Amino acid sequence: MKKVIIGLCIVVTGFILFIAQDEFEGNDTANGIDKMFSGQIFDVAQEKFTVHAMGLSPEEKVLTVRIEKTQYKEETEEYFRDILDSHGMESYELEVFPDDLTLK
């Protein structure tokens, strides 16, 4: 009987740790999102790449960035891809849309 109780305790403890691990991973993503939308990251992107809007969909795992000038699209993609990767959000898709309406 003692062996059964000890076995059940081990199984239940393992199950609890498994569930808690999923919760902690979710917190890492939430912290990454909070850091992503901190003023400093947006301010730097706004100065360097003419970013004027950005939005994140955690359910769809997509970061959308709007920039004013087409010439900064590649640099903007690199900048935000590095940020996503550094915050443990490698699986997120990145969309950069230029709103450059000037006619040539």
Side-chain angles (χ1 to χ4, degrees):
M1 185 67 173
K2 287 183 180 181
K3 290 181 181 180
V4 172
I5 292 174
I6 292 172
L8 284 174
C9 288
I10 291 172
V11 170
V12 169
T13 302
F15 184 71
I16 290 171
L17 291 174
F18 178 74
I19 291 173
Q21 180 182 5
D22 289 342
E23 292 297 321
F24 290 130
E25 287 176 4
N27 288 339
D28 288 343
T29 302
N31 290 337
I33 292 170
D34 291 341
K35 289 178 184 175
M36 169 115 11
F37 285 100
S38 72
Q40 184 180 10
I41 290 174
F42 182 79
D43 291 345
V44 168
Q46 190 175 26
E47 281 183 37
K48 286 185 176 182
F49 313 115
T50 68
V51 171
H52 63 89
M54 53 191 249
L56 187 104
S57 172
E59 297 83 23
E60 296 176 7
K61 294 189 173 189
V62 176
L63 172 66
T64 304
V65 179
R66 308 288 291 191
I67 59 176
E68 291 179 13
K69 303 204 183 240
T70 306
Q71 68 194 35
Y72 297 117
K73 184 175 180 183
E74 289 180 24
E75 293 95 344
T76 304
E77 288 173 347
E78 290 176 23
Y79 176 76
F80 281 102
R81 176 52 51 202
D82 290 343
I83 290 172
L84 285 171
D85 293 348
S86 70
H87 288 98
M89 300 164 70
E90 296 89 2
S91 63
Y92 276 66
E93 183 180 336
L94 177 62
E95 300 174 336
V96 177
F97 296 108
D99 292 333
D100 191 356
L101 300 177
T102 58
L103 299 173
K104 295 180 182 177

